[in-house]
Amino acid sequence: MKKRKIKLWAVISWLLVWQACSMAVKSDIFLVSPLRVVSRLFELAVTAKFWQSIGFSLARIGSGFLLAMCCGIVLAALAARYSRIEELLAPAVLAIKTIPVASFIILALIWFSSRNLAVLISFLMVLPIIYTNVLDGIRAVKPEMLEMAALFRIPAVTRVRCVYLPEVMPFFRSGCTVALGLCWKSGIAAEVIGVPKGSIGEHLQQAKIYLETPDLFAWTIVIVLVSVLFEKIIRLLLDRLAARLMEV
């Protein structure tokens, strides 16, 4: 299926609608104009605190994602090999999928410091997605391929590289694509509720309290841009890793 790209004219059209609505409302508190948001974004970008906050949130949300990715792969491999492990993990995976993010955040605040709350929440939101996708990918491997590998006594490393990896990789990439957006949304939500000092979530909370709508929109744009950049970097690294493994 061909991926649809966002056209520049469509973006400009919506920006003009936004500008027109802002001019009609005539209040930056209720609806700030896109020009004012861009101006405020440039004002923030020249400060050290701006980049420190991005680094703070990126490090924690990224750590949660990478940790969940590694754990999800290992647990999926174990669950595919041992049915008892899959049965044991099934209730926990279902609970994580169904319990609202806000509930997890509030419960986590009782037990953990707010400073690293985003790591835990990002980890919990990403883990079941990676786990289920990788497990589905492993089970999509054709039985004939496994029988042939066993018949010719192909080494385990070669079997993973040539039999499992080509089948699992599309499932894994799809899971990562979904998980990347979710981990940023949940991670920032954790920061907004926990308000760790020096985070993007803290700036969003302060903008809400003091009715600084330009700051609210500016930091929202930052979240979107960093999220998109993070996703592109992760997908590029995954593609290169898969290519490297296939060459070995």
Side-chain angles (χ1 to χ4, degrees), residues 174-186:
S174 176
C176 285
T177 300
V178 175
L180 281 165
L182 182 60
C183 83
W184 270 95
K185 291 177 182 178
S186 58

Side-chain angles (χ1 to χ4, degrees), residues 110-143:
I110 299 174
W111 303 319
F112 300 97
S113 167
S114 64
R115 186 167 181 81
N116 294 311
L117 180 63
V119 178
L120 175 63
I121 299 302
S122 298
F123 173 84
L124 290 174
M125 294 302 104
V126 172
L127 181 62
I129 298 175
I130 300 298
Y131 168 78
T132 53
N133 274 53
V134 173
L135 185 58
D136 289 342
I138 293 173
R139 288 183 171 160
V141 177
K142 296 179 177 61

Side-chain angles (χ1 to χ4, degrees), residues 81-92:
R81 179 67 178 84
Y82 305 103
S83 59
R84 292 297 184 187
I85 292 181
E86 182 185 6
E87 293 170 2
L88 178 65
L89 293 175

Side-chain angles (χ1 to χ4, degrees), residues 56 114-117 190-202:
F56 181 98
S114 64
R115 186 167 181 81
N116 294 311
L117 180 63
E191 290 184 347
V192 171
I193 295 176
V195 198
K197 187 173 180 58
S199 67
I200 293 177
E202 181 193 23

